[in-house]
Amino acid sequence: GGGGGGGDSPTAGRSDREIAEALARENGSRVIAFQRFREEDVVIDPAVVDEINRHCRECGERYVDPQFPPLPRSLYLSDAEAESWECMNCRARTKLPPVPPLPASREEAK
């Protein structure tokens, strides 16, 4: 699924995770201040979204939000939580099962 790289693109043939990890290495480790956004304060300009989508299509690259890269640190408090779950009773950690493949068609998704 999804868009994916064109021939000479620096992201060609690389997964979202590989791209995000490369961006993290390039930018180094830095502390980012948390700022809460309220939905009513966010203005989304459809023309800007269309322009970003057009640019990504033309370049054959996927858009990666630098503030929310597709890395475990964007979703979990620790690396351990990205790979295992903790029993609330005994506190034992158990490895998560592999992520199932995405369906190839709508029929398969049903």
Side-chain angles (χ1 to χ4, degrees):
D8 294 335
S9 165
T11 60
R14 295 167 64 192
S15 71
D16 289 345
R17 182 181 182 125
E18 290 168 333
I19 294 167
E21 287 172 344
L23 285 172
R25 281 192 303 277
E26 289 172 14
N27 295 332
S29 180
R30 58 183 182 205
V31 176
I32 298 174
F34 176 77
Q35 182 178 1
R36 183 173 300 278
F37 290 98
R38 297 178 329 150
E39 184 177 349
E40 56 270 15
D41 294 339
V42 176
V43 178
I44 298 173
D45 183 348
V48 172
V49 173
D50 289 343
E51 178 63 20
I52 291 169
N53 288 333
R54 182 192 61 73
H55 173 77
C56 290
R57 258 192 319 275
E58 287 177 2
C59 294
E61 296 181 4
R62 293 180 180 168
Y63 175 77
V64 176
D65 184 340
Q67 294 182 345
F68 195 73
L71 292 173
R73 69 184 167 105
S74 296
L75 301 174
Y76 304 100
L77 294 175
S78 71
D79 289 340
E81 290 182 2
E83 299 170 359
S84 61
W85 62 275
E86 180 180 28
C87 174
M88 297 196 57
N89 289 328
C90 69
R91 300 288 190 222
R93 293 208 73 84
T94 302
K95 186 171 173 59
L96 291 170
V99 176
L102 293 173
S105 66
R106 288 183 182 219
E107 292 76 27
E108 190 177 304
K110 293 177 184 179

